[in-house]
Amino acid sequence: MKLTKPSALTLACTLAFGLLTSVGAHAEKVLRIAMTAGDIPRTLGQPDQGFEGNRFTGIPMYDSLTQWDLSKADKPSEVIPDLAVSWAVDAKDKTKWIFKLRPGVKFHDGSAFNADAVVWNVNKVLDKDAPNFDPSQVGVTASRMPTLRSAKKIDDLTVELTTSEPDSFLPINLTNLFMASPLQWAKKLAAVPGSVTDKAERAKQAWAAFAADASGTGPFKMTKFVARERLELAKNPEYWDAKRRPQIDKVVMLPLPEANSRTAALLSGQVDWIEAPAPDALDTIKARGFKIYSNPQPHVWPWQLSFVPGSPWLDKRVRHAANLCVNRPAMKQLLGGLMGEATGTVEPGHPWRGNPSFHIKYDPDGARKLMAEAGYSAAKPLKVKVQISASGSGQMQPLPMNEFMQQNLKACFFDVQFDVIEWNTLYTNWRIGAKDPSAHGSDAVNISFAAMDPFFAMVRFVSSKAAPPVSNNWGFYSNPEVDAIVAKARTTFDAKQRDALLAQLHAKIVDEAPFVWVAHDTGPRAISAKVKGVVQPQSWFIDIATMSMD
């Protein structure tokens, strides 16, 4: 038989088939995630967009000196070593801490992580005279570690951190300080045109360039960034922790703030993972083979109340009445069962619970009685204004939840109005406080918060020292008894003794009611069945690095 020369078309088809076979054999494993955020959280090291930023651009791309253990679903996350292998407070001067650093860690650009890098990263948010100081990173960082004052290199793998006062919470707070590469930033600074002579402006432009080409030490590296559209990360095959070396090749983050849009994207195959699925679509999502993950979290969804002069919440009877008028069991049903009913910042059984005398429950008759005693009625309701968001990190389903509360409280002589603003703006306003014009005259703010540690759970909201702009005492709550307990707890380094003081603090806070406590989030997310190794920890965060895909 005579062999004929193959045609160009035949050759092209053969090559194409071979290429497709090769690609199929080594298909890139891509995980696509739809966030609740309206924009990509900042990528320059200190994320915004609340803790959704830490979850999706902080922990995957960066490491911190200490970190949360996200490997277990059956118990609350604990602080563990990360870039620091150990730490200890100075026995003679409890404002000084020595941190021993992990050897052999490299930034994504190949430069070494060491004590100089730690000092540099502390200075970026605390030292206004440092060339790399970035005011834009201060608000989301300094308010989370308010007593840290300086860092000093002892040797390449040892650093001394100094606080303004003895602070046993410091190792926990440091989970929020992510380590960015000084060398990568220096390269971006060198590329700023010489015509830009102002030091602050040069630093600002260097940070903007760094954010578009970031370098941390985390399990994933940035490969593409388009503001408000997408962030793409690639696995870091040389990551220092073999247990967290990624098996997923690429992660794509997409901002989709509207719950129904996220759900539609999942069902249509555009994404593999959505945060906070629409509650009325849960049955459909499960019927289509997706898995719903949820777990009780140290996380509170409340109204935080204002105590500035003229606030309608200054009367404790009113604060108690609002807490008694919220029908939490019905709200839980509204959310498809994906919430916990809050009776405080922590619940019975927690070591910080204590014994509050005020018992939060659904008691509208008791609420109306208190309101009548305070001088209010159906004919004379109390007007309150609450600043809220339409979506955002940990905000669950804020519009239907707030509207549900509005109807509940109407039956107890409250006339509730809302000021609905964008999530990141609301989060920024939270640090500025109720006295600022940004509050738009609001008497309360609806921002969910982490309750993983004493500072985040309680201190930053009730300590007089935490009033804006220092931290998140948005409502300027002040109580000498509370301040005294906080001072004792902060300076107590024995864990059991500190827990006893924190239990006193929590009981006092519940009795004083600077919040309307509503729900605990369970962190619901819907994920494709092809994503394996998902651990939903009892934490606000989740670790993508340990997952795999079919």
Side-chain angles (χ1 to χ4, degrees), residues 265-315:
L266 182 74
L267 295 175
S268 65
Q270 296 177 56
V271 296
D272 310 296
W273 167 334
I274 63 172
E275 296 288 282
D280 58 0
L282 292 175
D283 289 341
T284 301
I285 289 171
K286 288 184 280 190
R288 295 280 291 275
F290 296 96
K291 295 185 177 181
I292 303 293
Y293 294 87
S294 67
N295 207 351
Q297 295 184 347
H299 167 279
V300 186
W301 193 98
W303 285 359
Q304 185 178 356
L305 309 179
S306 170
F307 290 81
V308 303
S311 170
W313 302 107
L314 296 178
D315 189 329

Side-chain angles (χ1 to χ4, degrees), residues 257-387:
E258 207 279 314
N260 288 326
S261 297
R262 287 194 301 277
T263 301
L266 182 74
L267 295 175
S268 65
Q270 296 177 56
V271 296
D272 310 296
W273 167 334
I274 63 172
E275 296 288 282
D280 58 0
L282 292 175
D283 289 341
T284 301
I285 289 171
K286 288 184 280 190
R288 295 280 291 275
F290 296 96
K291 295 185 177 181
I292 303 293
Y293 294 87
S294 67
N295 207 351
Q297 295 184 347
H299 167 279
V300 186
W301 193 98
W303 285 359
Q304 185 178 356
L305 309 179
S306 170
F307 290 81
V308 303
S311 170
W313 302 107
L314 296 178
D315 189 329
K316 187 161 67 174
R317 293 171 298 185
V318 170
R319 304 196 299 271
H320 281 192
N323 274 285
L324 294 175
C325 201
V326 179
N327 190 342
R328 295 167 187 83
M331 182 180 286
K332 183 175 182 177
Q333 186 176 7
L334 172 71
L335 296 177
L338 296 176
M339 68 163 263
E341 298 172 29
T343 64
T345 298
V346 296
E347 296 303 314
H350 194 286
W352 306 339
R353 174 68 182 188
N355 296 295
S357 59
F358 174 51
H359 300 290
I360 297 172
K361 57 187 176 180
Y362 181 48
D363 181 7
D365 290 336
R368 283 187 283 267
K369 182 175 183 295
L370 287 169
M371 290 295 283
E373 291 173 2
Y376 301 101
S377 64
K380 183 188 174 184
L382 176 63
K383 294 182 180 295
V384 297
K385 184 178 181 181
V386 188
Q387 197 165 69

